[in-house]
């Protein structure tokens, strides 16, 4: 599937090379590594140590650093890059100051959290992963880069490729879920599509993969917590996505706030030098996460701020995000010899290198163009890419249950749309919604109205607050007003909703989490739908009307009760600017859902971690022949409520037994596993066919199943297609007990199916 990108006015106003040359104080240089090294080496010889230190500072404009203070820093060469400034006007003003006021005129670069869109907000990444479609990821990457570069930005703090198997962690919403392979391939595709041929191109954006390393494995899913794991697990399960993003050319790495095996990543020279630079050959920049350098004191690996700077720069942190410590303490540390000149020069070189790769020395205004081309209205409708957003959002929706074909609904009669999230423009955008404007997003209520037009009557009742828990509300509203409590009493809201539902033919209840409940610093121990909304669902159920539950949330939730209550359950994550339209397309059958879960949905918090690719034990539990002395809970089944890779359709598919092109393969060879997939239902539909492998007997225990390929197929009723999965040695390698990367000869099981539990 391909989408065309809308071409904004600024495309035709891209700078001609001639103009670019005249605007650069440095002349024009070819974008090759050789030319870059020569250029940067020569520039370094002209810089004072203070100017070098200035290049290592990444500043966020805000109350701590007002624009006037930044102007002074720019004048003194005391800032290398800016983040959180997102309009061409503001960016141009700062770059103008560099050109007018600073001695060496080294351009700033501008960065932002463009995590799932810039102005057009796409589904959160957990939703993007649910598409199991790399074309969707490519569209998201290209559109996000285009819009961000059109705003003057040069870099994004994305993709976030932290594998996570703990839905208590609020940041699972930002990543691609529990699986190493899916996360790696999604991350790689985003890097390729955002950086394009070169981050210097007018509409490309340099990426900064994060959070290095293993942030998704924080103990207990508690934000900023410790990570402790075996090197085998680290390298087999958590490292591959970072490596894939770097192999795809990501220019930046954001370093994680957590420690791994006792050493904070920000202080880990093994991680940032031995592994990242020496073994993986990374040439870009490392950036500390917000405030991470001073946090080294609380981690207990630095005695005071000066010591923290010494530890961080010596560990390999090139650029410091949002603190003044590098500029305050590096001069003394250099003088005392605690930080060597070489260390400072190396860090500065990395920063200058990426600026060179961004094309900023050829044209500091390369993502700005001439002033006259600035959009009159930054938030203009014409700057959005709604068609692409609607298409990706449709593909991200996962149908979890559909009793007696409750869905699709017919566009007739009276429909009750109920729930605190049904008409929330803000929540549907999800966390990290960049420069997205809530007013421009389409809610579920609006989407349903758009799609049914005058064919049906639509009534709305809020029914409940997102939560009535005062502590939770205070927490969610601590930094900004995010959740509002209705003036009516909970009972009055409930009564209103029941009345509305009773007068309708069907109920669409939109429930789940508010945007802020699945965000940075939003860990939960209870991952059920909040009590206020559970009460609403129970009351709605009593009306006896068909109950369609539309879930909006940024993590797997425990949904045993809802699974029993609902006639149909549609997981929509936070679907973005066009979310409401896309959800309505699926509810009314204009589109057939095809999303698959990128994380297992536990039955209860006590099951966590529950993930499909676990190791076998010596006493595996067998559900068909349960035995006491096997690996199990006695008060809960082992299987999740919905497994990884699961998702229904309005049609049905069959998968033939797997055939292999050959029964054996040698190390340099390849075999192909094939199945025939048939649409056995009555509607056209798409599904993600998934390949899993198992290394049956190896020198160490290997997962019971590992995803190693997927293909989305779209079939008409009765149509069949053969899906081939080539398998070579790369699919079989792992880090063994001696930390050698090996592929061991032996027997491998090959499974193909439509989710991780139902395989052939
Ligand atoms: C802290 C977050 O951990 C990181 O992901 C983000 O990029 C930075 N803040 C900047 O906003």
């Amino acid at each position: 599937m391909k989408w065309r990108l809308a071409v904004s006015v600024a495309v035709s106003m891209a700078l001609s090379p001639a103009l670019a040359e005249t605007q650069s104080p440095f002349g024009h240089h070819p974008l090759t590594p050789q030319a870059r090294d020569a250029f940067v080496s020569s520039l370094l010889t002209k810089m004072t140590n203070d100017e070098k230190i200035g290049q290592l500072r990444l500043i966020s404009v805000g109350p701590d650093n007002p624009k006037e203070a930044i102007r002074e820093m720019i004048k003194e060469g005391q800032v290398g890059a800016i983040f959180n400034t997102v309009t061409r006007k503001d960016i141009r003003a700062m770059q103008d100051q560099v050109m007018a006021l600073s001695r060496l005129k080294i351009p700033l670069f501008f960065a932002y959290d463009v995590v799932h869109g810039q102005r057009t907000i796409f589904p959160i990444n957990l939703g993007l992963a649910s598409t199991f479609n790399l074309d969707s990821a490519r569209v998201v990457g290209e559109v996000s880069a285009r819009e961000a570069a059109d705003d003057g930005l040069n870099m994004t703090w994305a993709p976030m490729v932290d594998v996570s198997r703990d839905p208590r962690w609020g940041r699972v919403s930002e990543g691609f879920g529990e699986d190493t392979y899916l996360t790696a391939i999604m991350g790689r595709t985003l890097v390729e599509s955002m950086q394009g041929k070169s981050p210097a191109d007018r509409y490309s954006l340099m990426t900064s993969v994060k959070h290095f390393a293993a942030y998704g494995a924080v103990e207990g899913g508690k934000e900023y917590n410790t990570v402790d794991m075996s090197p085998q697990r680290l390298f087999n399960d958590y490292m591959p996505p970072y490596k894939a993003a770097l192999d795809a050319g990501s220019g930046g790495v954001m370093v994680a706030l957590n420690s791994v095996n006792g050493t904070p990543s920000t202080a880990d020279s093994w991680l940032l030098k031995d592994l990242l630079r020496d073994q993986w050959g990374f040439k870009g920049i490392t950036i500390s996460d917000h405030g991470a350098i001073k946090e080294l004191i609380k981690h207990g690996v630095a005695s005071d701020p000066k010591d923290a700077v010494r530890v961080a720069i010596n560990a390999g942190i090139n650029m410091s995000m949002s603190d003044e410590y590098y500029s305050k303490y590096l001069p003394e540390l250099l003088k005392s010899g605690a930080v060597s000149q070489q260390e400072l020069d190396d860090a500065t070189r990395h920063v200058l290198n990426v600026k060179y790769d961004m094309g900023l020395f050829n044209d500091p205004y390369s993502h700005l163009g001439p002033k006259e081309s600035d959009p009159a209205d930054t938030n203009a409708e014409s700057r959005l890419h709604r068609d692409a957003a609607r298409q990706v959002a449709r593909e991200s929706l996962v149908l979890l249950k559909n009793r007696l074909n409750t869905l699709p609904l017919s566009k007739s009669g009276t429909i009750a749309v109920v729930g605190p999230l049904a008409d929330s423009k803000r929540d549907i955008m999800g966390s990290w919604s960049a420069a997205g404007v809530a007013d421009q997003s389409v809610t579920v209520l609006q989407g349903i109205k758009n799609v049914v037009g005058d064919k049906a009557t639509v009534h709305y009742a809020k029914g409940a607050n997102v939560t009535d828990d005062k502590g939770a509300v205070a927490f969610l509203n601590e930094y900004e007003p995010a959740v509002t409590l209705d003036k009516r009493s909970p009972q009055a809201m409930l009564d209103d909703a029941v009345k509305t539902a009773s007068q309708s033919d069907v109920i669409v209840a939109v429930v789940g989490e508010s945007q802020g409940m699945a965000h940075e610093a939003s860990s939960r121990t209870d991952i059920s739908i909040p009590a206020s909304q559970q009460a609403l669902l129970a009351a709605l159920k009593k009306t006896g009307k068909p109950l369609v539950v539309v879930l909006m949330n940024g993590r797997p939730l425990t949904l045993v009760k809802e699974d029993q209550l609902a006639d149909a359950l549609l997981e929509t994550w936070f679907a973005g600017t066009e979310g409401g339209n896309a959800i309505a397309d699926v509810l009314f059958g204009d589109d057939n859902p095809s999303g698959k879960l990128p994380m297992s949905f536990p039955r209860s918090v006590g099951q966590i971690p529950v993930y499909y690719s676990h190791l076998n034990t010596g006493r595996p539990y067998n559900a068909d022949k349960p035995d006491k002395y096997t690996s199990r809970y006695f008060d809960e089944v082992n299987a999740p409520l919905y497994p990884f890779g699961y998702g229904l359709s309005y049609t049905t598919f069959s998968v033939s037994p797997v055939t292999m092109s050959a029964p054996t393969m040698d190390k340099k060879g390849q075999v192909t596993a094939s199945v025939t997939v048939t649409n056995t239902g009555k509607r056209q539909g798409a599904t993600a066919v998934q390949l899993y492998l198992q290394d049956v007997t190896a020198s160490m225990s290997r997962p019971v199943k590992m995803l190693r390929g997927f293909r989305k197929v779209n079939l008409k009723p009765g149509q069949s297609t053969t899906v081939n999965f080539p398998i070579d040695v790369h699919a079989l390698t792992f880090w063994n007990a001696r930390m050698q990367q090996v592929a061991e000869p032996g027997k491998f099981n090959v499974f193909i199916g439509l989710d991780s539990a139902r395989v052939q």
Side-chain angles (χ1 to χ4, degrees):
M1 222 164 305
K2 294 253 181 289
W3 294 278
R4 282 194 49 226
L5 303 184
V7 178
S8 65
V9 181
V11 175
S12 55
M13 295 194 174
L15 283 186
S16 69
L19 181 54
E21 272 171 48
T22 56
Q23 288 195 341
S24 171
F26 298 97
H28 197 83
H29 302 271
L31 293 171
T32 63
Q34 296 78 2
R36 179 186 69 190
D37 291 349
F39 176 88
V40 169
S41 298
S42 146
L43 182 54
L44 276 168
T45 63
K46 298 180 189 125
M47 296 172 75
T48 64
N49 274 350
D50 280 353
E51 283 164 337
K52 290 176 187 171
I53 293 167
Q55 286 302 308
L56 310 185
R57 296 190 65 212
L58 173 67
I59 306 288
S60 172
V61 184
D64 294 346
N65 283 310
K67 282 183 189 164
E68 306 68 50
I70 294 212
R71 185 178 191 275
E72 279 314 297
M73 290 182 212
I74 288 174
K75 191 171 156 196
E76 299 305 320
Q78 278 303 296
V79 44
I82 300 282
F83 79 115
N84 287 345
T85 296
V86 289
T87 63
R88 268 198 248 172
K89 185 166 164 274
D90 288 345
I91 290 175
R92 181 191 312 288
M94 289 186 196
Q95 203 70 298
D96 280 349
Q97 287 169 4
V98 174
M99 295 305 134
L101 305 174
S102 71
R103 185 179 80 90
L104 288 173
K105 303 188 194 318
I106 298 174
L108 297 166
F109 75 76
F110 295 84
Y112 196 38
D113 286 286
V114 184
V115 176
H116 54 112
Q118 165 70 354
R119 299 215 167 254
T120 310
I121 300 304
F122 288 91
I124 58 167
N125 287 332
L126 212 47
L128 181 57
S130 303
T131 68
F132 274 71
N133 185 349
L134 300 183
D135 283 341
S136 298
R138 228 162 269 132
V139 167
V140 172
E142 282 172 16
V143 173
S144 306
R146 169 169 287 266
E147 291 184 357
D150 200 38
D151 277 340
L153 295 165
N154 309 100
M155 184 178 249
T156 170
W157 311 135
M160 190 278 224
V161 296
D162 303 325
V163 168
S164 185
R165 293 167 180 177
D166 198 325
R168 289 171 294 185
W169 193 46
R171 302 196 78 169
V172 296
S173 55
E174 289 173 56
F176 302 100
E178 74 181 44
D179 185 61
T180 307
Y181 176 86
L182 181 61
T183 302
I185 202 158
M186 283 282 167
R188 184 184 80 194
T189 305
L190 282 176
V191 171
E192 287 168 355
S193 53
M194 288 203 202
Q195 294 200 153
K197 284 203 197 80
S198 154
D201 290 344
R202 172 66 185 95
Y203 291 110
S204 293
L205 203 58
M206 188 178 273
T207 58
S208 195
V209 62
K210 68 187 185 185
H211 304 83
F212 192 59
Y215 187 20
V218 286
E219 279 178 1
K222 190 165 69 181
E223 182 66 307
Y224 313 127
N225 207 2
T226 301
V227 173
D228 211 308
M229 66 170 69
S230 71
Q232 285 75 20
R233 175 160 286 189
L234 185 63
F235 276 80
N236 285 324
D237 296 0
Y238 287 82
M239 285 300 196
Y242 305 111
K243 177 78 163 57
L246 295 173
D247 289 347
S250 181
V253 168
M254 187 185 289
V255 178
L257 294 163
N258 56 281
S259 64
V260 180
N261 299 339
T263 306
S265 298
T266 309
D268 196 342
S269 62
W270 165 78
L271 184 72
L272 303 180
K273 288 186 170 170
D274 301 9
L275 180 70
L276 185 65
R277 301 256 177 222
D278 300 347
Q279 292 177 40
W280 291 2
F282 178 60
K283 300 271 188 281
I285 41 169
T286 57
I287 301 152
S288 63
D289 200 349
H290 208 125
I293 296 177
K294 65 172 164 244
E295 289 172 18
L296 293 179
I297 302 166
K298 295 218 167 107
H299 271 290
V301 298
S303 52
D304 55 32
K306 186 160 99 179
D307 201 33
V309 171
R310 174 188 67 79
V311 171
I313 194 158
N314 287 335
I317 296 286
N318 304 147
M319 206 163 207
S320 92
M321 182 189 286
S322 217
D323 62 43
E324 66 293 353
Y325 286 179
Y326 266 23
S327 57
K328 253 193 189 158
Y329 300 109
L330 273 175
E332 290 172 48
L333 288 163
L334 279 166
K335 229 178 257 161
S336 71
V339 172
S340 67
Q341 186 66 42
Q342 185 66 47
E343 203 68 68
L344 175 65
D345 286 357
D346 282 352
T348 314
R349 178 183 288 280
H350 292 308
V351 175
L352 299 175
N353 279 349
V354 297
K355 290 187 174 182
Y356 190 98
D357 292 344
M358 288 169 178
L360 288 168
F361 289 112
N362 283 341
D363 178 10
Y365 297 87
S366 68
H367 281 188
L368 292 163
K371 199 173 180 178
E372 305 70 63
S373 72
D374 286 357
D377 174 9
T378 309
N379 299 325
E381 250 313 301
S382 58
R383 303 188 79 215
L384 300 185
H385 294 82
R386 287 192 180 271
D387 289 350
R390 187 165 179 165
Q391 183 56 36
V392 176
R394 284 168 154 196
E395 284 214 57
S396 72
L397 309 179
V398 188
L399 183 62
L400 300 176
K401 178 181 179 184
N402 196 13
R403 196 176 74 88
L404 301 174
N405 295 330
T406 305
L407 292 178
L409 301 174
S410 83
K411 295 177 187 171
S412 63
T414 304
I415 302 157
V417 180
V418 180
L421 298 165
D423 199 27
S424 168
K425 283 173 169 284
R426 176 194 169 103
D427 291 306
I428 202 163
M429 297 202 301
S431 68
W432 300 107
S433 46
V437 175
D439 247 5
Q440 290 177 321
S441 67
V442 179
T443 66
V444 179
L445 176 64
Q446 188 57 52
I448 289 178
K449 286 183 177 166
N450 293 344
V451 163
V452 302
D454 55 13
K455 293 191 187 124
T457 308
V458 178
H459 292 307
Y460 164 68
K462 186 170 172 190
N465 292 311
V466 166
T467 173
D468 288 329
D469 176 335
K470 294 219 168 56
V473 172
F475 174 82
L476 294 167
N477 288 342
E478 194 174 333
Y479 285 88
E480 51 182 335
V483 173
T484 43
L485 293 181
D486 206 276
K487 289 198 185 72
R488 293 168 294 171
S489 72
Q491 191 58 48
M493 293 170 81
L494 208 67
D495 293 345
D496 178 40
V498 168
K499 191 168 154 219
T500 306
S502 309
Q503 293 162 355
S504 305
D505 301 312
V506 62
I507 308 163
V508 176
V510 190
V511 294
E513 299 182 295
S514 70
Q515 174 215 48
M517 291 170 80
H519 198 344
E520 181 179 350
S522 297
S523 297
R524 301 178 67 192
T525 59
D526 173 358
I527 55 169
S528 60
I529 291 176
S532 57
Q533 300 182 68
Q534 286 192 29
L536 172 64
L537 290 180
L540 293 173
K541 178 70 183 172
K542 285 200 189 128
T543 64
K545 306 282 176 174
L547 178 60
V548 175
V549 174
V550 171
L551 296 160
M552 208 178 275
N553 46 281
R555 53 157 62 80
L557 300 174
T558 47
L559 296 170
V560 172
K561 269 193 248 158
E562 291 71 19
D563 183 68
Q564 284 160 5
L565 271 185
D567 293 291
L569 264 177
L570 183 70
E571 174 57 74
T572 70
W573 311 112
F574 293 110
T577 306
E578 277 291 308
N581 283 332
I583 292 166
D585 289 339
V586 163
L587 290 177
F588 292 91
D590 293 337
D591 194 69
N592 191 348
S594 63
K596 304 278 179 125
L597 294 179
M599 275 185 95
S600 312
F601 273 45
R603 290 169 188 274
S604 59
V605 167
Q607 273 190 327
I608 297 171
V610 57
Y611 55 98
Y612 83 92
S613 63
H614 59 86
L615 303 187
N616 231 344
T617 66
R619 296 185 179 193
Y621 173 73
N622 180 349
D624 298 330
K625 247 171 115 196
D627 180 57
K628 179 170 182 177
Y629 290 100
T630 53
S631 180
R632 61 182 293 192
Y633 300 105
F634 77 77
D635 58 353
E636 183 68 280
V637 300
N638 273 11
L641 180 62
Y642 307 118
F644 174 85
Y646 169 82
L648 303 172
S649 163
Y650 295 155
T651 189
T652 48
F653 299 95
S654 70
V655 182
S656 72
V658 180
T659 57
M660 300 296 299
S661 60
T664 58
M665 175 187 109
D666 66 29
K667 267 198 173 163
K668 293 206 176 96
Q670 194 185 73
V671 288
T672 302
S674 308
V675 287
T676 300
V677 182
T678 305
N679 181 342
T680 50
K682 294 199 180 71
R683 299 175 65 107
Q684 175 159 358
T687 190
V689 186
Q690 302 156 38
L691 167 81
Y692 296 89
L693 299 183
Q694 181 191 19
D695 191 344
V696 183
T697 311
S699 59
M700 32 180 271
S701 294
R702 300 289 296 134
V704 293
K705 258 173 226 152
M706 308 172 288
L707 184 72
R708 283 296 180 266
F710 56 85
R711 200 76 28 85
K712 197 132 184 192
V713 297
N714 196 328
L715 299 171
K716 296 200 174 72
Q719 194 187 355
S720 295
T721 188
T722 302
V723 182
N724 298 316
F725 290 104
I727 301 169
D728 65 16
V729 74
H730 298 293
L732 312 176
T733 54
F734 64 98
W735 292 90
N736 69 11
R738 294 175 186 277
M739 284 305 288
Q740 297 150 334
Q741 208 175 9
V742 293
E744 297 175 350
K747 183 177 165 200
F748 295 85
N749 285 332
V750 177
F751 309 102
I752 301 180
L754 301 182
D755 65 54
S756 62
R758 278 186 310 152
V759 287
Q760 308 272 341

